[in-house]
Amino acid sequence: MRILIVFLAFIIILLANVSPSQAGELLEHIQTYPDWNKPLNLSQAQGDLVYPDWMEGTWNVTSILLDQVAPLAPEIVTPGFKNNQRYLNQPLHFQVRFQKQSSPIPNIFALASFISSQLPIVANREFNGYQIAKAYLGKDATISVKNDPNNPNRQITFLSQNNQLISTVTERQQERPKVQTFVATEITQQIFQRPSSIYINEVETTTNYHLIADNKIEAEQITAIYLSPKDPDYFKAINRPIALYKYQLNLSRNLNITNIK
């Protein structure tokens, strides 16, 4: 379960549905780390995630966990928080892929793209989810990743020993302060199902992407873990995060892949 919390940050790393009236809020949120006291109030997640055009392609990713904080320790600590220290400053490698939407789901951003005859760029969710899960959990522990065909915001990761991780994006927001900068936050409910038990929590992921060159992107990412209302310690936390993880992401375009399907 401890590793699921770590790799989930990357499964939900890219976001959409900008709110112009709140431009700058996400950048300010990042700058206040680790003094996060509650989840952001975001818009309801609708449609698929739309990315900047410069993110199209297949990317080799290096992820480094720079810092982790347990704000409510020692009273409340997430399962395995201490064991996650083994990832500190240790690079992990995987691939992610973004491509033109093949069967667009109508929303305000997709409509704008149709008018300009440009299909929006979206994530290849199953490819990305599987690559990331495999990097963190190992090939033998990860069986497959499937997306709900009727809801682009819902994904199931099938794991060994009949375990499943069900992830549903519920809220999101993004900002484009500059053409070469993309800032986004997404809140995801995660349900980890074992044959004998269920564990539920919420994950807030805020990421600040910078296009450095045509084939290079750098990003800083912060993941906050919140307890579910069903957790016995929920009222002790009072909507405060019980764990925070800060990552550095380096993406380099895979120039050997020319045909994305």
Side-chain angles (χ1 to χ4, degrees):
M1 187 180 301
R2 60 180 181 271
I3 304 179
L4 292 175
I5 292 174
V6 173
F7 90 79
L8 180 62
F10 301 100
I11 294 181
I12 59 177
I13 116 182
L14 299 166
L15 322 149
N17 293 352
V18 65
S19 176
S21 63
Q22 296 178 322
E25 180 182 9
L26 302 186
L27 279 176
E28 293 178 0
H29 189 50
I30 291 176
Q31 293 168 358
T32 62
Y33 173 89
D35 298 323
W36 289 14
N37 298 316
K38 62 181 180 179
L40 289 173
N41 184 18
L42 309 176
S43 302
Q44 182 180 355
Q46 297 180 351
D48 208 342
L49 308 182
V50 178
Y51 309 99
D53 292 343
W54 42 262
M55 296 195 72
E56 182 179 8
T58 299
W59 300 81
N60 300 319
V61 182
T62 298
S63 166
I64 302 175
L65 176 61
L66 300 178
D67 187 40
Q68 63 178 64
V69 180
L72 302 182
E75 185 176 7
I76 304 176
V77 182
T78 58
F81 180 85
K82 183 177 180 180
N83 290 331
N84 283 335
Q85 292 179 354
R86 62 179 175 170
Y87 292 107
L88 282 169
N89 300 313
Q90 298 300 314
L92 287 172
H93 307 283
F94 50 88
Q95 288 188 338
V96 294
R97 181 173 295 167
F98 309 98
Q99 59 198 44
K100 288 184 173 63
Q101 193 174 49
S102 57
S103 54
I105 298 174
N107 60 44
I108 186 171
F109 299 101
L111 180 59
S113 296
F114 289 140
I115 293 174
S116 62
S117 300
Q118 295 289 333
L119 289 174
I121 303 301
V122 299
N124 186 323
R125 293 172 175 270
E126 293 186 2
F127 177 88
N128 294 356
Y130 180 74
Q131 294 295 319
I132 295 165
K134 185 174 63 173
Y136 277 87
L137 303 178
K139 185 176 181 180
D140 294 338
T142 308
I143 298 175
S144 65
V145 176
K146 300 295 182 183
N147 273 75
D148 186 337
N150 299 315
N151 183 1
N153 296 309
R154 186 172 185 269
Q155 184 178 80
I156 302 178
T157 303
F158 296 91
L159 305 167
S160 60
Q161 301 179 352
N162 293 321
N163 296 327
Q164 295 182 9
L165 178 66
I166 304 171
S167 306
T168 305
V169 179
T170 58
E171 299 176 40
R172 66 165 65 99
Q173 182 177 312
Q174 74 176 34
E175 296 171 356
R176 293 291 301 275
K178 298 179 181 179
V179 174
Q180 297 177 329
T181 300
F182 177 62
V183 190
T185 295
E186 207 163 55
I187 294 180
T188 298
Q189 181 190 73
Q190 64 173 13
I191 303 174
F192 180 58
Q193 291 188 172
R194 290 174 169 168
S196 59
S197 63
I198 296 179
Y199 180 79
I200 304 174
N201 64 13
E202 284 192 342
V203 178
E204 175 190 314
T205 301
T206 301
T207 313
N208 186 8
Y209 299 93
H210 303 279
L211 178 65
I212 306 301
D214 287 345
N215 300 320
K216 183 178 180 180
I217 297 173
E218 294 180 354
E220 55 183 331
Q221 182 180 82
I222 301 171
T223 299
I225 312 298
Y226 295 88
L227 293 178
S228 162
K230 296 182 179 180
D231 194 286
D233 290 325
Y234 176 76
F235 289 103
K236 294 181 181 179
I238 315 178
N239 287 327
R240 290 174 292 175
I242 59 172
L244 293 166
Y245 297 91
K246 185 175 183 179
Y247 301 89
Q248 175 183 320
L249 306 179
N250 297 305
L251 291 77
S252 60
R253 192 185 304 276
N254 190 328
L255 300 177
N256 296 322
I257 298 178
T258 57
N259 185 22
I260 298 176
K261 298 181 178 181

